[in-house]
Amino acid sequence: MTGTQPTTRSQPMGRTCPFSPPEGYRTLREEAPIAPVTFPDGAKGWVVSRYADVRAVLADPRFGANRRRVRPGDPTPADAPLPPPPPGMFIMMDGPEHTRFRRLLTGQFTVRRMQKLAPAVEKIVAEQLDAMAAAQGPVDLLQAFALPIPSLVICELLGVPYADREEFQENSSMQLRLDASHEQVQQAHMAMNQYIHQLAVAKRAHPTDDILSGLVQSERLTDEELAGVGSLLLLAGHETTANMIALGTMCLLGNPEQLAALRADPALMDSAVEELLRYLTIIQYGLRRVALEDVEMDGHRIEAGSTVLASLASGNRDATQFSGDPDVLDVRRPSSPHLAFGHGVHQCIGQQLARVEMKAALSALLDRFPSLRLAVPADQVPMRDDMLIYGVHELPVTW
Amino acid sequence: MKIVIDEDKCCGAGQCVLSAAEVFDQRDEDGIVVLLDAVPPEEQRAPVEEAAARCPALAIEVLP
């Protein structure tokens, strides 16, 4: 029979609601959950948009962690062989190579260890709130609160001087910009690595009680690997959580009945944090994988070498997985595993830390400023549509 | 109910501890899953099954 070949679509882009993924994903989930697509740069591949398929792709070792960046300005042709992952960039590695790095770090991020860290995080949160209160409104909540908390915490854990934040925040930001050229991203990546490398050299001479010193002393990584691991943890450790805190606050302020429920019953904070993670899913375009062999999925043949985009945000709005209306923020939603931290062996290593930070930050913020509100109309808040990690560029608030 | 874990698959995400802290723990050194009770009482079934469903590395098997 002819004409059964599914039509190639464009990757859905452009949000109509600042808190929801592009509308096109709804159509994809209903009509073509495993769809051949053209990415914004013209490269061809696939998008999976349903919860079950996203999980299946991310848990399947036949799909490798993609090492190609599909973005405008990337000179690499889509069908070029996979480049080797940069040293230490274990997020781009597969199999035993990935496991070797992951196992060096997982002990540092266990549930117990992160829960023990909660009082220290709460102290940092309280200090930021003191400074904010003293400054009086309006302030930019991102710079005054949401960014310093995870930055201070990850700096403390890794052993990175917080005083150097301007440099590493700039380099992080450049690596996440969708409009940055290949060269700009490479340069920022190198600068970040160099920075960590210098720190590691200093720690070899004078080790302290932190993750970088521990890695240096373990002598299981080369200097290049150590620099790669360190810069990855530093980047992932502050950008993501900062945006979840700021965007999460904006989202609660935009859903006053949910905010009121949370204020009336602080015990709801655990489920509210999970719900915000699900609802907002700030890894906005999802995770890329590459088929390492031909894979059959639901009658589709995904050829070896094809790029597959697993949309975390779309999977997190799949009505077959989440009870009630998944497009509605519901801080009382019964627990269901969401995809905000990804799935499979690459699932976020810092997720327990993120939970501790979000809980401490949101609880104390709501408690301290009962009359917190946006200082500008919501449609004037600059959203991070131009970044790999979604969120706000600034969030003017007053109280 | 009997639980079988595959340490080699475990990626130390900690989802099992969040779901069923009485049954699962993590090793301090490398974050790998530790089974506190391989044959937990029946009232632990729901959290244990949730732990297995949440495990990103599919490292937990629950046998009847």
Side-chain angles (χ1 to χ4, degrees):
Chain A
M1 196 172 123
T2 54
T4 52
Q5 196 61 24
T7 352
T8 299
R9 305 170 187 237
S10 303
Q11 178 188 338
M13 299 288 281
R15 294 171 187 256
T16 45
C17 162
F19 306 127
S20 298
E23 262 307 295
Y25 279 110
R26 184 187 309 279
T27 322
L28 278 187
R29 281 195 305 270
E30 284 164 9
E31 293 174 7
I34 300 171
V37 296
T38 305
F39 295 115
D41 72 336
K44 308 266 189 236
W46 296 79
V47 165
V48 296
S49 51
R50 279 186 190 165
Y51 179 88
D53 294 330
V54 170
R55 269 177 61 117
V57 166
L58 295 178
D60 188 335
R62 292 175 300 171
F63 291 104
N66 199 337
R67 308 195 264 287
R68 273 186 220 108
R69 289 171 182 271
V70 182
R71 68 165 90 209
D74 189 339
T76 320
D79 57 355
L82 281 187
M89 252 327 126
F90 64 96
I91 201 170
M92 299 178 180
M93 295 174 187
D94 299 317
E97 209 188 355
H98 167 258
T99 311
R100 176 185 154 231
F101 283 96
R102 177 119 184 166
R103 295 231 160 152
L104 273 178
L105 295 167
T106 35
Q108 304 289 334
F109 293 96
T110 59
V111 173
R112 198 178 323 122
R113 208 177 267 241
M114 293 302 108
Q115 286 170 352
K116 260 194 205 150
L117 203 65
V121 174
E122 284 158 13
K123 185 165 169 276
I124 288 175
V125 167
E127 286 163 3
Q128 295 304 311
L129 287 175
D130 287 345
M132 212 172 113
Q136 299 185 343
V139 302
D140 173 10
L141 191 81
L142 184 70
Q143 293 299 332
F145 184 68
L147 192 53
I149 293 164
S151 294
L152 277 159
V153 173
I154 197 68
C155 280
E156 184 66 32
L157 276 180
L158 279 178
V160 170
Y162 181 65
D164 295 346
R165 63 188 176 279
E166 206 168 312
E167 181 180 350
F168 70 70
Q169 284 174 359
E170 250 170 51
N171 286 323
S172 298
S173 177
M174 180 59 81
Q175 291 179 69
L176 298 172
R177 270 171 62 172
L178 291 167
D179 62 350
S181 71
H182 185 68
E183 288 71 27
Q184 284 173 311
V185 172
Q186 283 300 320
Q187 244 172 34
H189 177 71
M190 295 303 292
M192 192 99 158
N193 274 26
Q194 224 163 34
Y195 170 72
I196 299 285
H197 186 248
Q198 283 166 2
L199 265 180
V201 169
K203 283 179 193 296
R204 183 160 289 138
H206 304 286
T208 37
D209 182 23
D210 53 61
I211 294 178
L212 272 186
S213 295
L215 289 175
V216 168
Q217 287 172 302
S218 78
E219 292 182 356
R220 282 150 87 183
L221 298 177
T222 66
D223 283 2
E224 289 72 25
E225 289 173 338
L226 188 65
V229 169
S231 47
L232 178 59
L233 292 181
L234 184 55
L235 188 155
H238 75 275
E239 273 278 349
T240 47
T241 314
N243 281 293
M244 266 315 300
I245 293 171
L247 187 64
T249 303
M250 180 181 172
C251 184
L252 286 172
L253 293 175
N255 287 273
E257 69 299 338
Q258 294 294 307
L259 180 59
L262 192 51
R263 281 208 158 107
D265 181 5
L268 284 175
M269 188 47 88
D270 280 332
S271 71
V273 163
E274 297 307 315
E275 176 67 349
L276 287 168
L277 284 163
R278 177 196 74 84
Y279 188 70
L280 299 171
T281 316
I282 55 170
I283 310 291
Q284 62 170 338
Y285 298 121
L287 298 174
R288 288 177 189 282
R289 293 292 183 262
V290 62
L292 301 175
E293 55 186 86
D294 291 351
V295 179
E296 280 286 317
M297 266 191 92
D298 203 20
H300 299 285
R301 190 180 133 95
I302 299 177
E303 287 183 4
S306 306
T307 294
V308 179
L309 176 66
S311 175
L312 305 177
S314 176
N316 273 344
R317 296 297 183 97
D318 187 336
T320 60
Q321 173 67 22
F322 299 97
S323 58
D325 182 351
D327 288 321
V328 169
L329 181 81
D330 177 3
V331 296
R332 293 192 184 88
R333 187 180 297 280
S335 150
S336 181
H338 58 69
L339 300 165
F341 292 115
H343 188 65
V345 294
H346 287 282
Q347 193 182 58
C348 180
I349 198 169
Q351 59 180 292
Q352 313 306 348
L353 176 59
R355 288 184 165 105
V356 166
E357 290 178 341
M358 281 183 66
K359 195 179 164 187
L362 292 173
S363 301
L365 178 69
L366 299 183
D367 194 39
R368 183 78 176 260
F369 298 109
S371 60
L372 189 76
R373 58 191 184 277
L374 290 185
V376 297
D379 61 4
Q380 284 174 29
V381 174
M383 308 305 296
R384 289 174 44 124
D385 290 301
D386 52 349
M387 306 295 279
L388 281 169
I389 309 287
Y390 187 64
V392 294
H393 283 296
E394 61 177 293
L395 189 68
V397 295
T398 192
W399 52 89
Chain B
M1 169 174 53
K2 183 176 179 339
I3 303 170
V4 180
I5 53 174
D6 186 337
E7 277 193 23
D8 290 340
K9 279 188 180 173
C10 175
C11 66
Q15 300 275 30
C16 54
V17 184
L18 283 192
S19 304
E22 288 172 38
V23 179
F24 302 99
D25 198 359
Q26 287 171 283
R27 273 205 303 256
D28 281 330
E29 312 88 79
D30 57 7
I32 297 305
V33 59
V34 173
L35 199 49
L36 299 175
D37 187 351
V39 192
E42 200 53 28
E43 59 264 29
Q44 286 289 331
R45 181 174 288 278
V48 163
E49 282 179 350
E50 185 179 306
R54 281 179 189 248
C55 175
L58 311 174
I60 301 169
E61 202 184 343
V62 186
L63 305 173

